[in-house]
Amino acid sequence: MLNLWMRASAWICLAVVILLLGFLVQQSWPYWQQYGFSTLFSGDWYPYEKLFGLTAAIIGSFWAALIALSIAIPTGLAAAVMSTEILSGSWRSLSRTGMELLAGIPSVVYGLLGLWVLLPLLQSSLGLLTGHNLLAAGLLLSVMVLPTIMVMAQDALSEISSEQRDAAASLGMGWSERLWRVLLPQAWPGIRSGILLALGRALGETMAVMLVVGSMDRIPEPFYNLLAPAQTLTSRIGREIGESAFGSMHFAALMACGLLLATVTITISLLAHLRADNTSVART
Amino acid sequence: MNIQKKIDVGLTIQQSAIKADQAHSLKLSGLSLELGGTPILRDISFALPVHGMNILIGPSGAGKSTLLRCLNLLHQSWQGDLHIMDKDVRTWPDGADALRRAVGLIAQKPSLFPCSIAQNVVFGLGRKARKQVSDEHIEQVLRQAALWGEVKDRLHDKALTLSVGQQQRLCIARALALAPKMLLLDEPTASLDPRSKQCIEASLLELAATMPVLCVTHDIEQAKRLGGQIIFMCDGHLIESGDSVDFFARPERIESREFLRWSVCDCS
Ligand SMILES: Nc1ncnc2c1ncn2[C@@H]1O[C@H](COP(=O)(O)OP(=O)(O)OP(=O)(O)O)[C@@H](O)[C@H]1O
Ligand SMILES: [Mg+2]
């Protein structure tokens, strides 16, 4: 019975994912039919002139996630190493609780904090007209995905047996050598899963990004200009879905954005799981 | 006159030899250790000669493994005084890591790294030394650990595919690859068949000719075979230490006699 139930739930989960993707495909179908993939390379998004180029938002999503990860990975890893290898028991659990609290804060609260604290700070320190930009979105996202990376890395590090640590230590390996040659390589599968999950979250986060990114539909000029208002796939959907008529081309284009996002994030989490499975098989 | 001089010279040489024999490679006095509030080791003192075999025996839970970990500074919170090669280990030049390279410790439970057999052998070497290490050196330490015959055709296989006994010997080889000045072994033959046991014992005796070797064992017959100095511990105390032959023939303390006769020890 239990077995049946477990199987049924597994199939239900799979069915939901497939249904979801199917729904997105169906709803965005008119868009793909009319514009095809050519719009992937066009930056113009003017719904009233029936221009629906996706590039600006894709580049925006890419940059925001890249900034977030390039800050959160080193910080999260350092924090995980610090707490598993250096801090003693009570401090370790304190830091972990702190991280779990951070992970539990609703994203709109992060967004508000970003509006009140981060934007004015960026505006004044960089002398910008407005603090709404990709950098702000990336910075905010980096704080939001930090707990994921840190908690996963912490788990992976604390799984390494004390015998391994002792073996490395009694070979006279120094602290940093133990870290680079024993701890991090062995924790890598877990760390990698954490990074992929964080990437998924960074790409999919809507509310907080929407509040700080500026929602300007244009390709950054030049493409690495992070200090101008921009747009991401999620913020575009979040902002415009309310004003688009159901069944219109605008609606279909937004659904296309959603399909793109869903495909990428599902692929990422599949990757994370596939890798985790592989390594657990190899370990036993 | 001439003859007298020769005799004098001979005598001084002999005396210095005796002095060298009295010199100690490791001198421990009054080591005590508490872990988590419980005293584990209490006031342990002994010395190891500049070379030779030393056997540490005692019932399970006596603190033998813990003592070895203290000697290697894996435990650092102990009280007492430990000199290795006439240097205080607390102020060892270049720190604890250099000390651990000089004093090879082979743990009770083999713990290999998830890479190939050959990579495990050279794991402790520095980056440069790892690149330059010769196949002969790897072969030599694997032979010393009585493992060469079994792994010579599969040096690049994963080390974790080895049997536990093979893993234990690989751990010995890994420690020997660093050319330590002293060896601490924690039940190195615990999961070995008689033949490999013999090979390891022969290797250890050979090594003991040039460096001090301190070996924990539960195997009284093995302790007799290896000879040298016996250190008998029970419940965190050092009960008796002395020459192996004397110890087994005429144990002084009642605890030692009980332990040898019935393998029990009641000293708490
Ligand atoms: N990290 C630790 N924290 C607290 N107690 C410990 C710790 N390590 C060892 N002990 C305790 O110290 C005592 C001695 O342990 P140890 O492993 O040194 O015994 P041993 O003589 O090596 O025994 P065996 O022959 O079974 O290996 C045991 O009672 C053990 O519970
Ligand atoms: Mg032990």
Side-chain angles (χ1 to χ4, degrees):
Chain A
M1 192 59 210
L2 183 66
N3 194 357
L4 191 71
W5 172 238
M6 288 192 324
R7 274 181 203 211
S9 2
W11 285 111
I12 290 173
C13 291
L14 195 63
V16 167
V17 171
I18 292 174
L19 267 180
L20 183 90
L21 284 177
F23 170 77
L24 286 171
V25 170
Q26 189 229 339
Q27 291 299 317
S28 61
W29 193 248
Y31 171 82
W32 298 118
Q33 232 173 5
Q34 178 154 355
Y35 296 90
F37 292 96
S38 63
T39 54
L40 277 180
F41 306 104
S42 149
D44 302 318
W45 175 276
Y46 299 113
Y48 297 113
E49 295 165 31
K50 298 265 173 280
L51 287 175
F52 299 109
L54 301 183
T55 319
I58 291 176
I59 291 182
S61 282
F62 169 79
W63 275 122
L66 188 72
I67 298 171
L69 286 190
S70 54
I71 295 171
I73 290 174
T75 322
L77 280 187
V81 169
M82 176 82 191
S83 78
T84 49
E85 310 300 319
I86 298 171
L87 294 184
S88 61
S90 53
W91 285 106
R92 183 180 309 172
S93 51
L94 193 71
S95 75
R96 187 169 176 107
T97 316
M99 276 296 158
E100 280 165 1
L101 281 181
L102 275 189
I105 295 176
S107 62
V108 68
V109 176
Y110 278 108
L112 292 178
L113 277 179
L115 273 183
W116 285 329
V117 182
L118 187 61
L119 294 192
L121 207 71
L122 279 180
Q123 203 173 339
S124 59
S125 62
L126 297 177
L128 302 170
L129 285 178
T130 160
H132 288 271
N133 54 33
L134 281 175
L135 184 62
L139 289 174
L140 201 56
L141 280 175
S142 73
V143 179
M144 298 176 70
V145 301
L146 185 65
T148 313
I149 293 182
M150 162 158 172
V151 167
M152 295 281 286
Q154 218 180 15
D155 286 346
L157 283 170
S158 51
E159 241 179 51
I160 300 171
S161 68
S162 61
E163 280 92 9
Q164 284 281 306
R165 294 161 205 268
D166 285 350
S170 37
L171 289 174
M173 293 167 69
W175 193 84
S176 66
E177 212 187 347
R178 293 202 296 265
L179 182 68
W180 288 110
R181 292 187 53 216
V182 178
L183 297 179
L184 289 182
Q186 291 193 30
W188 176 239
I191 297 173
R192 184 180 45 202
S193 302
I195 292 175
L196 288 175
L197 283 180
L199 177 60
R201 172 140 200 226
L203 285 174
E205 176 52 48
T206 308
M207 207 56 212
V209 172
M210 209 167 92
L211 289 175
V212 300
V213 78
S215 298
M216 279 282 271
D217 286 294
R218 47 162 207 240
I219 296 178
E221 210 33 72
F223 71 93
Y224 51 81
N225 178 8
L226 305 176
L227 299 178
Q231 184 77 292
T232 67
L233 287 168
T234 51
S235 62
R236 172 179 288 163
I237 300 174
R239 202 167 277 280
E240 297 181 11
I241 197 72
E243 13 178 287
S244 67
F246 183 81
S248 67
M249 189 54 80
H250 188 191
F251 183 83
L254 290 176
M255 283 296 160
C257 293
L259 180 64
L260 217 58
L261 265 177
T263 321
V264 172
T265 44
I266 288 174
T267 314
I268 289 171
S269 42
L270 276 184
L271 271 182
H273 283 284
L274 278 184
R275 304 295 249 186
D277 280 356
N278 275 346
T279 46
S280 66
V281 167
R283 239 185 240 166
T284 48
Chain B
M1 190 64 201
N2 220 349
I3 291 172
Q4 186 59 45
K5 212 173 185 179
K6 266 186 187 166
I7 290 175
D8 279 351
V9 170
L11 269 179
T12 45
I13 288 176
Q14 209 170 358
Q15 267 164 4
S16 65
I18 289 169
K19 261 202 192 133
D21 263 345
Q22 280 170 345
H24 297 298
S25 56
L26 179 150
K27 206 162 183 318
L28 177 65
S29 46
L31 178 138
S32 306
L33 174 76
E34 278 188 13
L35 287 177
T38 17
I40 307 284
L41 299 173
R42 298 168 231 218
D43 194 23
I44 294 191
S45 308
F46 63 83
L48 303 185
V50 276
H51 56 76
M53 181 61 76
N54 306 269
I55 310 289
L56 185 53
I57 58 171
S60 180
K64 306 181 294 295
S65 305
T66 312
L67 176 60
L68 292 197
R69 292 166 57 82
C70 289
L71 300 183
N72 205 13
L73 289 188
L74 283 179
H75 287 307
Q76 306 212 351
S77 58
W78 43 265
Q79 319 282 316
D81 186 48
L82 173 58
H83 279 77
I84 289 181
M85 290 161 227
D86 289 328
K87 279 175 275 191
D88 190 341
V89 293
R90 299 283 192 191
T91 56
W92 193 269
D94 298 329
D97 296 329
L99 171 80
R100 293 184 191 131
R101 276 194 294 276
V103 180
L105 171 71
I106 290 108
Q108 185 162 11
K109 197 170 155 196
S111 184
L112 296 172
F113 301 106
C115 48
S116 78
I117 294 172
Q119 280 167 332
N120 260 283
V121 173
V122 298
F123 204 88
L125 299 172
R127 181 201 296 269
K128 239 192 204 156
R130 271 204 305 282
K131 292 231 171 78
Q132 293 170 348
V133 72
S134 65
D135 293 346
E136 287 76 40
H137 185 62
I138 295 181
E139 177 178 343
Q140 185 203 344
V141 293
L142 282 170
R143 274 187 198 284
Q144 278 179 318
L147 188 61
W148 175 249
E150 286 151 72
V151 301
K152 62 171 182 258
D153 302 319
R154 43 189 289 212
L155 284 176
H156 300 289
D157 287 5
K158 287 253 169 275
L160 293 172
T161 59
L162 294 173
S163 77
V164 177
Q166 289 170 330
Q167 292 191 14
Q168 207 159 22
R169 283 174 282 163
L170 185 50
C171 287
I172 298 179
R174 189 174 65 188
L176 288 176
L178 293 177
K181 308 266 186 302
M182 176 182 301
L183 269 187
L184 311 174
L185 303 108
D186 203 342
E187 298 182 43
T189 60
S191 36
L192 294 187
D193 61 291
R195 214 190 94 73
S196 315
K197 220 180 238 191
Q198 253 181 358
C199 295
I200 292 277
E201 283 172 17
S203 283
L204 290 184
L205 284 171
E206 204 171 294
L207 288 165
T210 55
M211 65 171 92
V213 176
L214 178 60
C215 178
V216 174
T217 181
H218 277 294
D219 183 345
I220 299 293
E221 293 311 310
Q222 180 177 53
K224 285 181 184 163
R225 284 197 297 276
L226 289 174
Q229 180 183 216
I230 296 277
I231 299 164
F232 174 55
M233 274 180 72
C234 179
D235 198 31
H237 296 278
L238 190 151
I239 306 290
E240 184 175 347
S241 67
D243 182 68
S244 157
V245 180
D246 294 342
F247 178 83
F248 288 115
R250 292 177 295 282
E252 279 172 17
R253 299 280 299 263
I254 182 143
E255 294 91 340
S256 322
R257 264 171 281 177
E258 277 184 350
F259 180 70
L260 288 181
R261 188 165 310 156
W262 295 300
S263 296
V264 295
C265 177
D266 179 25
C267 51
S268 44

